[in-house]
Amino acid sequence: MRRTTVGEIDADVLAYTAGQDRVLDLALVEADCLGTAAHVQMLSRVPQDPPLLSAAAAKKVVTELAKVSRDAAAGRFEITLEDQDVHLAVERRLTERLGELGRRIHVGRSRNDQVAVDLRLFARARLIEAAEAAAALAGALLALARKQIKTPMVGRTHMQPAMPSSVGLWASAWVEGLLDDLELLQAAYAQNNRCPLGSAAGYGVPLAIDRQLVSDLLGFSRPLHNVIHAGQTRGKIESVILSALGQVMLTLSRLAQDLILFSMPEFGYFALPEAFTTGSSIMPQKRNPDVLELLRAKAAKVLGHAHTVAEMVRAAPSGYNRDLQEAKAPFFEGFDLTVSSLAVMRPLVAGLKVDKPALRRGFGPEVFATDRALELVAGGMPFRDAYREVKARIGELAGGDPDAALAAKTHLGATGGLDLVALNARIREAAAWARREKRRHEACRKRLLGI
Ligand code: ARG
């Protein structure tokens, strides 16, 4: 039997139920301290006689919480098995240092709303990291598009040569894709930016707590309203966020696949920067695209994690269920994999070498077949007749001029009609949003813990 803050438990059961929390929760210490700092300040203002906590007592708790947070950042904070998780570890530490005061703080809340708020505080910082990294990668791709806007590249369907295209068109397609994914990150951020604290075990408390004040102190946009709903967004919000991260990884994985393909010697369109390739232990000539292959696999993991967490929520009845503790590992890893993949892709793209002659060599006459048919249409021929005419004499088709073909497509979004200025504005807007939110988080940390 092992003695814990919340009763005696069989040793194996304790190990089984605490699971990975002892380790994973170390990432939540600062968030837990922020949540508790806001909570005790609110408690000291609850109109009640005798007070739940005096203003001076709340101040002492906050001072100690700032120390806990600093200790954790320096690797000097431990969560023991008997603590089970970060919440009871912080409470133990406060009680060790502040005595009776430490035993007064867990009023008007439960670990259920505590872990929910911790995860949201953790996620809001990491979502900003992901958004910043996505905007930076979009910037690198846009620079490539600008530089190579007139560089011809064969456009493909079914991987077969199809129509004239350009490196600028190809590169800026990924920019627009990442910007779409950034919108999903921002939508997930907005939903995450609501405060569950004070819902307690999921049914509120018979005390005049001020949930709006706690939400404001923590810098959330508003409290989650219904206390059952507040509790059971646990798991759901992780699922929403992982879905958004999964979309980012989906885009990255396809970009990685294109880069693997087009940097094969058989194509030779692009050369990966040497430092971003790896060698072979037996074949001296090898420079392999391991980074891009690993990225594909990591994308599969993030998409899998999104599915795992959705499955954990799917059959959960209303109210708190311990199942959701198991969502932490995939949730945390989803962020790690996405942020690190975005970060490795930016310099890889920035260092990409473009082989213009190789790109031009890809232009067989067949690439111009559709343009030729459309020329006949411009002369008055019905399209189906033009199509047949070109098809019937496909072997005799003369090669075209790739540059002229690119310039001829002037409509919106085509090779000669790309609005890279608008894309740049969207990237800057997203980056400015991330900076603004980050400043708000910093201000909140400073206000609450003085760090
Ligand atoms: N470590 C727990 C979790 O992640 C904290 C909440 C525990 N609540 C409970 N009722 N057992 O879910």
Side-chain angles (χ1 to χ4, degrees), residues 21 25 85 87 111-112 115 234 320 322 324-325 328:
D21 267 13
D25 277 16
D85 52 33
H87 325 295
R111 273 187 296 165
N112 300 351
V115 62
R234 170 93 187 276
Y320 174 82
R322 189 74 177 267
L324 275 318
Q325 180 175 296
K328 270 182 212 167

Side-chain angles (χ1 to χ4, degrees), residues 148 151-153 267-269 354-363 402:
Q148 310 291 347
T151 306
M153 174 175 177
F267 281 92
Y269 293 174
V354 176
D355 187 336
K356 293 186 187 185
L359 282 151
R360 276 182 194 272
R361 278 198 297 278
F363 279 80

Side-chain angles (χ1 to χ4, degrees), residues 162-164 364-374 386 390-391 394 397-398:
M163 290 180 74
E366 75 285 1
V367 178
F368 299 92
T370 309
D371 284 5
R372 178 69 196 126
L374 291 170
V390 175
K391 197 181 175 83
I394 198 78
L397 194 71

Side-chain angles (χ1 to χ4, degrees), residues 259-451:
L259 288 171
I260 292 172
L261 186 70
F262 294 138
S263 63
M264 280 167 65
E266 287 80 352
F267 281 92
Y269 293 174
F270 305 132
L272 305 176
E274 181 122 340
F276 286 77
T277 60
T278 54
S280 154
S281 62
I282 172 171
M283 297 168 281
Q285 85 283 12
K286 291 285 255 175
R287 297 306 306 186
N288 294 323
D290 296 33
V291 169
L292 301 168
E293 292 160 1
L294 285 164
L295 192 148
R296 278 193 311 218
K298 287 171 202 268
K301 285 170 84 175
V302 176
L303 290 163
H305 290 346
H307 187 68
T308 297
V309 172
E311 280 296 300
M312 285 177 187
V313 181
R314 184 179 57 79
S318 64
Y320 174 82
N321 302 278
R322 189 74 177 267
D323 312 34
L324 275 318
Q325 180 175 296
E326 292 292 323
K328 270 182 212 167
F331 188 47
F332 290 4
E333 200 186 39
F335 279 117
D336 290 342
L337 295 175
T338 307
V339 171
S340 61
S341 298
L342 285 164
V344 79
M345 278 298 249
R346 193 202 53 78
L348 185 146
V349 166
L352 217 55
K353 285 210 181 60
V354 176
D355 187 336
K356 293 186 187 185
L359 282 151
R360 276 182 194 272
R361 278 198 297 278
F363 279 80
E366 75 285 1
V367 178
F368 299 92
T370 309
D371 284 5
R372 178 69 196 126
L374 291 170
E375 264 167 49
L376 297 175
V377 167
M381 194 182 283
F383 176 74
R384 193 50 65 209
D385 299 344
Y387 170 92
R388 284 214 188 88
E389 168 130 0
V390 175
K391 197 181 175 83
R393 289 198 264 148
I394 198 78
E396 300 156 35
L397 194 71
D401 173 6
D403 303 303
L406 300 194
K409 280 191 221 149
T410 55
H411 67 73
L412 190 120
T415 41
L418 280 174
D419 189 352
L420 300 188
V421 173
L423 287 180
N424 190 38
R426 283 181 68 191
I427 295 174
R428 292 167 78 97
E429 225 172 84
W433 166 81
R435 271 197 304 279
R436 254 191 334 268
E437 291 305 309
K438 212 154 98 175
R439 272 201 298 276
R440 283 159 54 111
H441 302 165
E442 273 158 22
C444 165
R445 265 210 302 278
K446 191 146 194 188
R447 195 166 60 233
L448 281 171
L449 294 178
I451 49 172

Side-chain angles (χ1 to χ4, degrees), residues 4 23 31 54 77 90 151 191 241 291 307 312 314 395 410:
T4 76
V23 180
S54 71
F77 184 77
V90 172
T151 306
Q191 236 182 59
I241 292 170
V291 169
H307 187 68
M312 285 177 187
R314 184 179 57 79
T410 55

